[in-house]
Amino acid sequence: MKSLVKHKIKAGGINTYLYHLSAFNKSRETILYLHGFTGCAEDWKEISTHIDKNFNQVAIDLVGHGKTDSPDELAYYTAENINKQILDTLKHLKLKQVILIGYSMGGRAALSFAVNYPGKLKMLILESASCGIEDPEERKTRTESDNYIAKFIEENSMEKFVDKWMNLEIFATQKRLSSEKLKEIRELKL
């Protein structure tokens, strides 16, 4: 698999890494990929090889992920600022519209962007993402779970957190992957 072309840009007020997963031709439609929690732009590398070559394909490392800055100020992690990170990426690429694809946390970011900037989208594709939890009890349980994860991250090494994260039941099918692939996934998450 060919290596990715990576650029550092200023987006959402931070150094953001933008990856070209295909040759870029301004006359073609562009797909912008958003990764999930603990992921990075490189997560889309394999999937991009299955997409029609008539599309530009780019991905960014969202704030706090991959090579993109991880500032201490919480303001950078708001939906508003992540929307700005996406908007600034489109401006950098001089694009009026994109096909936005988001997975999990990236799907929620894509959904937020779609609500706030519908004219910037040609299409929206969400994988394993929702617009929220309606049931108050389920929402409370999820908030408690998220708070536990946040506390675990604060009190432990990144290595310990990634090992715990990769062993969650939701990722059990990944155990079928080769040890080399699992090692690659772990390294990207770190």
Side-chain angles (χ1 to χ4, degrees), residues 8-64:
K8 183 168 68 171
I9 64 171
K10 202 65 144 177
I14 58 172
N15 292 318
T16 297
Y17 278 81
L18 166 69
Y19 296 77
H20 287 268
L21 300 152
S22 66
F24 195 85
N25 179 333
K26 184 87 169 81
S27 67
R28 296 189 305 213
E29 290 186 18
T30 300
I31 297 170
L32 173 60
Y33 297 101
L34 303 177
H35 60 79
F37 184 62
T38 75
C40 65
E42 290 188 57
D43 291 349
W44 297 100
K45 183 171 56 174
E46 210 167 301
I47 289 168
S48 71
T49 64
H50 301 284
I51 303 297
D52 187 306
K53 302 298 179 221
N54 291 313
F55 290 96
N56 296 318
Q57 296 182 75
V58 295
I60 59 173
D61 286 337
L62 292 168
V63 61

Side-chain angles (χ1 to χ4, degrees), residues 115-184:
V115 167
N116 288 285
Y117 300 97
K120 297 287 183 188
L121 298 183
K122 185 91 172 168
M123 186 182 303
L124 176 65
I125 300 172
L126 305 174
E127 170 61 33
S128 300
S130 73
C131 54
I133 301 171
E134 274 189 65
D135 180 82
E137 280 304 309
E138 285 181 44
R139 194 169 45 247
K140 181 181 176 211
T141 300
R142 176 59 183 267
T143 299
E144 289 169 356
S145 172
D146 288 350
N147 288 337
Y148 169 78
I149 290 168
K151 186 174 174 148
F152 188 91
I153 291 169
E154 289 175 348
E155 295 175 352
N156 294 277
S157 68
M158 186 54 67
E159 289 81 6
K160 196 169 183 180
F161 170 70
V162 167
D163 290 340
K164 182 177 182 66
W165 185 257
M166 288 182 68
N167 281 302
L168 291 175
E169 181 64 30
I170 194 169
F171 302 119
T173 56
Q174 287 186 355
K175 300 288 185 220
R176 297 181 204 150
L177 299 172
S178 70
S179 59
E180 294 83 26
K181 185 65 178 171
L182 285 171
K183 183 180 177 192
E184 178 186 339

